[in-house]
Amino acid sequence: MLLKERFAITRPLEELEISLVRAAAADPSLLDPMEEATVRTALSLARLYKVRHEGHDVGMGAFLTPFREEVSRKLAPALSGKKPPRRDQLLPLLGGLRESTLRTREDLLRRFRDRLPPDAIDREIRNKALVIVAGGGGGTGYVYLGVMSLLDEAGMKPSLLVGSSMGAILSLFRARVARFDYGETMNIVRGLSWRKLFRIISTESRYGIPAAMRLFLRAGIGRHFGVASEQHGTGLRLKDLPIPTLIAVGGIRRGMLPHPLEFYERLLRLTPRGLVDPLAVARKVQVAIGALAELFLRPEMMVKLHLGADDDTAQMDALDAAGFSSSLPGVIHYDVLREDRHGHALLDNLFERHGLFRLIDGGLVDNLPAKAAWRAVHKGSIGTRNALILGLNAFSPKLSTPLWLPLERLAALNVAPNLPYAHVVRHFKRTLSPIELVPSVNLASRAVELGRNQMVPEMPLLRRLLAPLPAL
């Protein structure tokens, strides 16, 4: 079965569960814990179609079709309406639903007893993995560090991270260690500087589009990712990260770039003194908005790439992947010019396979790559298909920041198709400015506080969804 067909089957059942849990979190009298577990277990079993065991997937979707139809028929009238569900709607369903769920589980165990142990099926039904999708937006994205610290305090460890642009860089901050260390992460931020990360120099362009500012990501944070120096070969690869990570990157098709490369290199003319003046940078960035809008509005020129989603790109240097995801045409240039035969071979193969001319910022093609996250989960990349996808969007349109509203609205065009694939989405209304790429410690701390405060209202829902379901 194609993944889009699987999405059409599973997504309505996921929406019923989220509707129930939101209502139960808001009204503790709706259902007691075991009553809620009965409904959610039925929905989880109805969604089941593949279970991973010892490296192999065992399919059972067709076997569960009658049960899935029964569950949907019973629960949809109560849980899919515009009004919150009521106890008097749900209570009459519970007895028959529990009996049917237990009977179907026993039938399933008998049918697949030679291929799957009972605990493998029960784990898939009762445990939900967390997937975090972090969008781009320059300095606005620092609020994600507050979300990451809050989730970690609640014991919610992501099983997969998917990021675009600044969201890709901050996803690497989280992915580099199994347990989030807020103090160490803030030390990394504290060690950043404009002069270390960005330079106004004219260099060769091999894979990226030239721009006024050259991003030296390896010089800025490379030592935290196994890079000894800017000239050193490969550091941590995407496949080496303790938490699996995908990074969204855009690719310009051959012959499709609207202007010569020199046009983009001249879009911003920044002096070294202007580089450390955020307001000067903001004024110059506005000059580039027209050129960026041209790329946003002509998606046929571009290819969406999700580095780490296949065996070949999983071999890529993690910082290179995040660097290309952050290379905004005319504004920021990232490239691989060092001696690294393996890295060049990977990139040359990528360009050949997709017919590419240059790589560009992932936010231009997929600023909240929730669909890529969903596809990765359902291709089996994290083992379970039972996952909660949390989308974090710091670059949503804000009337309070009119300077950036045109770009935010353009970014919203490619965010919209991703929204159905995320189960919970937080659009942050209070953030740092996009130009605060290298915030002071005080600003970074403020961003963390803003992220935590705006995420707090969703925490009861997340805790409830991610807590293991009790056995019926």
Side-chain angles (χ1 to χ4, degrees), residues 22 38 75 89 116 149 165 214 224 258 274 432 455:
R22 279 195 183 279
T38 296
L75 293 177
Q89 290 176 299
L116 285 171
S149 67
S165 196
R214 172 81 192 278
H224 302 287
L432 300 187
M455 198 66 211

Side-chain angles (χ1 to χ4, degrees), residues 26-43:
D27 179 10
S29 67
L30 179 65
L31 294 174
D32 68 34
M34 284 308 300
E35 291 169 341
E36 180 184 334
T38 296
V39 179
R40 292 183 59 195
T41 301
L43 288 166

Side-chain angles (χ1 to χ4, degrees), residues 146-163:
V147 175
M148 292 172 186
S149 67
L150 190 63
L151 293 174
D152 185 73
E153 288 173 11
M156 301 176 190
K157 175 188 171 184
S159 297
L160 176 69
L161 295 154
V162 186

